[in-house]
Amino acid sequence: MLVPPRVARKGRGAVSNMQGRYEVNGRERFDDGWSDADSESAVDSTGESAAFKTVVTDEFAKTILSRNTSPDIPFSVSLNPYRGCEHGCIYCFARPTHSYLGLSPGLDFESRLFAKVNASELLRRELAKPGYVPEHIAIGVNTDAYQPCERERQITRQVVEVLSECRHPLGLITKSSLIERDIDLLAPMAANNLACAAVTLTTLDAQISRTLEPRAAAPMRRLRTIRTLTDAGIPVSVSVAPIIPFVTEPEIERILEAARDAGAVGAHYTVLRLPHEVNPLFQEWLQAHFPDRAQRVMNRIREMRGGKDYDADFSQRMHGDGVWADLIRQRFEKAVERLGFKSLRGRFGRLDRSQFRRPVVVPATTRRGSVQGAGQLDLF
């Protein structure tokens, strides 16, 4: 029996829940006529898909700071309060990390989330180590630190509170207006050259945004967030990412102009990356939402990747290679120069590390990582 084509789910980015690359047993979709065609698409009273309702599980992490030596990334230390992301951006390069958990990088990634409830305690202990050397910490790189569940969990806010107390430089990247909640912490830090932010703006088209990044803030709302942060004295750059040929690529100049008008002082971009399971998931999304141009989009992506769907080489994974990638680069750089962004790029690397002071109180922890009580005061 023929398998019906994949259909998009309202409020979700992935079209399927394809298995991760580490699963031992393979699964193949097949309609034997006995299954309920509406079983996965049924919704509850809130409109949530019954099969993929968002579930957030507490996680007691062992470590909280991630370090990298990638030459194409402007930071070497990052912190992610959550695993998985409810924003559901189909292009998210973090989707394959759910495979390590035995879960799908598809719908599981955006519906089965993990909250690192001991993040602030782990960070406090890390900063208190005698040999710790302060480096700029990027927050929310792998998954958005201000995704919907942060409203109740407030893990990101707790982390920012620790960094504020210790006068530790930080950079935030998000596509959520929830960052405005923490202006009371971020504005004083920014005044002391300790904080900056980046807002990702993929498209100005609300209809494309609803399918591309279904539970993220609408494009116009993100522009308001840029203005709000800027008015509070927090330097904001715009991340035009990812640039998808024939989908978001025609908007490059308009996005930059809108961000500049909203108060952004810097800009950078990346072209679409398709590592591991992101590749088939993105192609399913293309077929579901842009079947008329799906092949054309993939052909252009391959042209920028040396004939492959993706090339992870550090020298070109962010911006691609070839004629088309060079045209995108030229368009972006000319627009940035015309709009006055050029001299203000690289703000993250100019944050001040000299003001750092170790935390006064360092919490003790149980074996699970939960707080047991305040540790000895640290005079230094």
Side-chain angles (χ1 to χ4, degrees):
M1 182 177 293
L2 292 175
V3 177
R6 300 285 189 186
V7 293
R9 289 176 172 81
K10 184 178 180 181
R12 294 298 182 189
V15 178
S16 75
N17 208 34
M18 65 171 293
Q19 66 188 86
R21 62 193 183 280
Y22 297 118
E23 293 190 37
V24 176
N25 300 315
R27 298 193 303 270
E28 187 172 334
R29 189 165 176 254
F30 177 75
D31 186 359
D32 59 4
W34 287 93
S35 61
D36 181 359
D38 297 324
S39 60
E40 285 194 353
S41 58
V43 296
D44 62 17
S45 59
T46 66
E48 180 80 68
S49 170
F52 297 102
K53 186 177 179 66
T54 302
V55 176
V56 184
T57 303
D58 288 352
E59 175 186 347
F60 290 91
K62 295 181 180 179
T63 60
I64 198 60
L65 295 182
S66 300
R67 290 177 167 81
N68 76 85
T69 56
S70 303
D72 56 350
I73 297 178
F75 55 85
S76 58
V77 183
S78 60
L79 187 155
N80 295 286
Y82 301 97
R83 295 182 193 264
C85 185
E86 196 176 357
H87 284 162
C89 306
I90 190 58
Y91 52 76
C92 183
F93 64 86
R95 282 184 177 273
T97 61
H98 248 44
S99 294
Y100 295 117
L101 307 176
L103 298 172
S104 171
L107 290 163
D108 280 349
F109 176 80
E110 49 196 277
S111 62
R112 298 182 64 177
L113 315 177
F114 297 85
K116 300 176 184 178
V117 294
N118 61 336
S120 63
E121 288 79 19
L122 287 176
L123 177 61
R124 191 177 288 275
R125 291 209 312 274
E126 184 73 23
L127 300 185
K129 290 179 179 178
Y132 178 78
V133 177
E135 297 182 69
H136 318 104
I137 296 178
I139 302 176
V141 177
N142 216 38
T143 56
D144 203 311
Y146 287 103
Q147 58 183 289
C149 64
E150 167 63 16
R151 293 185 184 279
E152 291 74 37
R153 298 282 176 155
Q154 298 199 28
I155 298 174
T156 300
R157 181 171 177 86
Q158 294 166 15
V159 166
V160 175
E161 285 174 341
V162 173
L163 295 173
S164 174
E165 173 192 328
C166 296
R167 296 183 178 274
H168 195 296
L170 67 91
L172 291 156
I173 183 165
T174 185
K175 48 176 71 78
S176 171
S177 60
L178 184 56
I179 190 176
E180 296 172 3
R181 178 201 64 189
D182 294 340
I183 284 178
D184 62 318
L185 296 172
L186 297 172
M189 293 184 73
N192 290 305
N193 194 27
L194 293 171
C196 62
V199 173
T200 301
L201 197 55
T202 314
T203 176
L204 297 177
D205 189 318
Q207 185 174 354
I208 293 177
S209 182
R210 277 194 297 270
T211 62
L212 190 65
E213 38 199 20
R215 300 199 180 192
M220 294 302 109
R221 184 65 183 90
R222 291 183 225 180
L223 288 172
R224 282 170 50 198
T225 296
I226 293 174
R227 171 51 59 192
T228 302
L229 294 175
T230 299
D231 289 347
I234 302 167
V236 185
S237 62
V238 61
S239 174
V240 186
I243 294 176
I244 306 173
F246 307 122
V247 179
T248 65
E249 162 268 320
E251 301 181 71
I252 293 174
E253 291 81 4
R254 295 198 300 275
I255 291 172
L256 288 170
E257 186 170 356
R260 191 278 312 271
D261 292 344
V265 296
H268 65 276
Y269 80 97
T270 63
V271 297
L272 179 67
R273 298 167 55 191
L274 298 176
H276 303 299
E277 294 92 342
V278 181
N279 186 10
L281 286 167
F282 177 76
Q283 293 198 51
E284 286 178 350
W285 177 87
L286 267 181
Q287 290 294 341
H289 296 285
F290 295 98
D292 58 325
R293 69 184 85 167
Q295 191 59 54
R296 188 182 181 204
V297 171
M298 289 307 301
N299 287 344
R300 194 64 71 209
I301 290 172
R302 292 174 185 129
E303 184 178 326
M304 292 191 292
R305 300 296 186 187
K308 297 181 288 186
D309 289 350
Y310 182 58
D311 187 345
D313 188 273
F314 286 136
S315 65
Q316 61 128 338
R317 64 172 180 168
M318 296 298 188
H319 300 132
D321 192 24
V323 174
W324 232 76
D326 193 52
L327 286 174
I328 289 176
R329 178 187 59 78
Q330 290 184 45
R331 286 175 57 190
F332 187 88
E333 289 183 351
K334 288 182 182 299
V336 159
E337 186 173 5
R338 174 173 56 84
L339 295 169
F341 284 130
K342 193 169 185 179
S343 62
L344 294 168
R345 286 187 288 181
R347 172 80 185 187
F348 187 77
R350 297 200 296 269
L351 295 177
D352 187 5
R353 294 180 291 177
S354 66
Q355 302 178 48
F356 172 70
R357 59 191 183 192
R358 301 190 190 283
V360 175
V361 178
V362 182
T365 59
T366 65
R367 282 182 297 178
R368 289 192 66 200
S370 58
V371 176
Q372 190 177 39
Q376 181 176 349
L377 294 180
D378 184 347
L379 298 179
F380 304 101

